[in-house]
Amino acid sequence: MPAGFRAELFKLRKRTLCWLIAGVWLAMSLLFGYVFPYFGYRASAGSREIAERVFTQALPAGLVPTSIQGFPLFAGVLALLLGVLCAGGEYGWQTMKVIFTQGPPRLSLLAGKLSALLVLMLVIVSATFVLDAAAAWLVAAVESRPMDWPPPGELARGVLAGWLIVGMWAGFGLFLGFLVRGTAVALGPGLVWALVVETVLRALGPVSAPAEAVQRWFPGTNAGALAAALGVGRQGEPGGTPGVTAAVGGVQAAIVLAGYLAIFAAISAFLLNRRDIT
């Protein structure tokens, strides 16, 4: 295992904020995927059909879409924050100069950071599926519903798709951290893009042909489309999820997300290799 990769894993493991973000991530998955749907179903006095539809996703058969439903937007923002922290934090703490004086090549440093960040994303995504599986089993046991678990292939696709979605957002955050050499300034544009710009353009899509054509290639749109391809309810539908859309197909969405991750890594490499440390 390369020394740079081990060092970055060690730093991520020691940062309290990483544990806090992971805890918020898992708590949100439980609350929005199981706690709220279950108690909403139990207390439903109005539209029983919608409540039943949402509750069905909290059963074992709906493990994949329920686990990744928040990845395109909410978990994506948290992944972006981790990426910004991983890169921009080095400049804020004035540790980048110290790192380079120890001798590691700049591209080796970037490779270690990106690899460690992607491993962290995979660990959190896997933990999300494990925790959600336990919650789904509990809900099915309490309500005496069938334990119809998704097949292994579907689970594997769900984990890989979720990893690609949040890995892309983490790579975006890493790129912003290297671009502005800080955390707070980098986080602002990332949040504005993910929560405001793409949301507005998706809303304009049905009434504006140019907006509809452009937003098909945006990272958030393709993240939502990949989630929709795996069964997550689309935004605007009863029980749908914000940020999830079927603007493009699942295959195109996966290719575009992988392309964005590669582009973010390439630009980060250029910035890190060509600019001064300060």
Side-chain angles (χ1 to χ4, degrees):
M1 183 182 298
F5 175 63
R6 294 199 308 270
E8 293 302 327
L9 279 181
F10 178 80
K11 285 191 287 186
L12 289 174
R13 182 167 57 87
K14 289 295 183 179
R15 285 172 179 163
T16 304
L17 185 57
C18 292
W19 291 95
L20 179 60
I21 292 173
V24 171
W25 183 324
L26 296 176
M28 287 176 58
S29 181
L30 280 180
L31 286 174
F32 291 102
Y34 296 92
V35 176
F36 291 158
Y38 176 73
F39 286 103
Y41 168 78
R42 298 293 295 177
S44 171
S47 179
R48 188 72 176 180
E49 180 181 352
I50 295 179
E52 176 69 28
R53 185 184 310 165
V54 174
F55 172 75
T56 301
Q57 294 298 310
L59 297 174
L63 176 61
V64 171
T66 301
S67 296
I68 69 170
Q69 64 181 350
F71 284 15
L73 189 58
F74 304 116
V77 169
L78 296 177
L80 186 148
L81 175 57
L82 285 171
V84 168
L85 175 67
C86 186
E90 301 287 3
Y91 294 98
W93 297 320
Q94 300 294 316
T95 54
M96 191 63 81
K97 293 180 182 180
V98 178
I99 294 173
F100 284 138
T101 56
Q102 302 304 310
R106 298 190 180 192
L107 295 184
S108 175
L109 171 70
L110 173 63
K113 283 187 175 296
L114 183 58
S115 300
L117 194 58
L118 291 177
V119 167
L120 176 63
M121 292 298 101
L122 181 59
V123 169
I124 298 178
V125 169
S126 301
T128 301
F129 272 81
V130 171
L131 191 63
D132 286 359
W137 176 88
L138 181 61
V139 169
V142 170
E143 292 295 318
S144 300
R145 297 297 185 97
M147 298 285 183
D148 296 329
W149 296 98
E154 183 179 342
L155 278 174
R157 284 193 298 272
V159 171
L160 291 176
W163 186 29
L164 180 58
I165 291 171
V166 296
M168 181 277 298
W169 283 119
F172 185 27
L174 194 76
F175 153 69
L176 290 175
F178 283 125
L179 178 65
V180 305
R181 307 189 209 190
T183 52
V185 179
L187 187 58
L191 292 178
V192 170
W193 178 268
L195 300 178
V196 179
V197 175
E198 291 211 29
T199 301
V200 171
L201 287 174
R202 275 195 293 269
L204 291 176
V207 296
S208 173
E212 173 69 18
V214 171
Q215 62 100 20
R216 288 173 175 267
W217 299 98
F218 285 167
T221 299
N222 284 273
L226 184 56
L230 293 175
V232 179
R234 303 168 190 171
Q235 182 175 344
E237 296 180 349
T241 305
V244 176
T245 174
V248 299
V251 175
Q252 175 182 326
I255 294 174
V256 170
L257 292 179
Y260 269 114
L261 181 57
I263 290 171
F264 293 145
I267 299 177
S268 298
F270 175 80
L271 293 174
L272 191 62
N273 199 43
R274 300 291 295 180
R275 296 195 303 185
D276 291 336
I277 299 174
T278 56

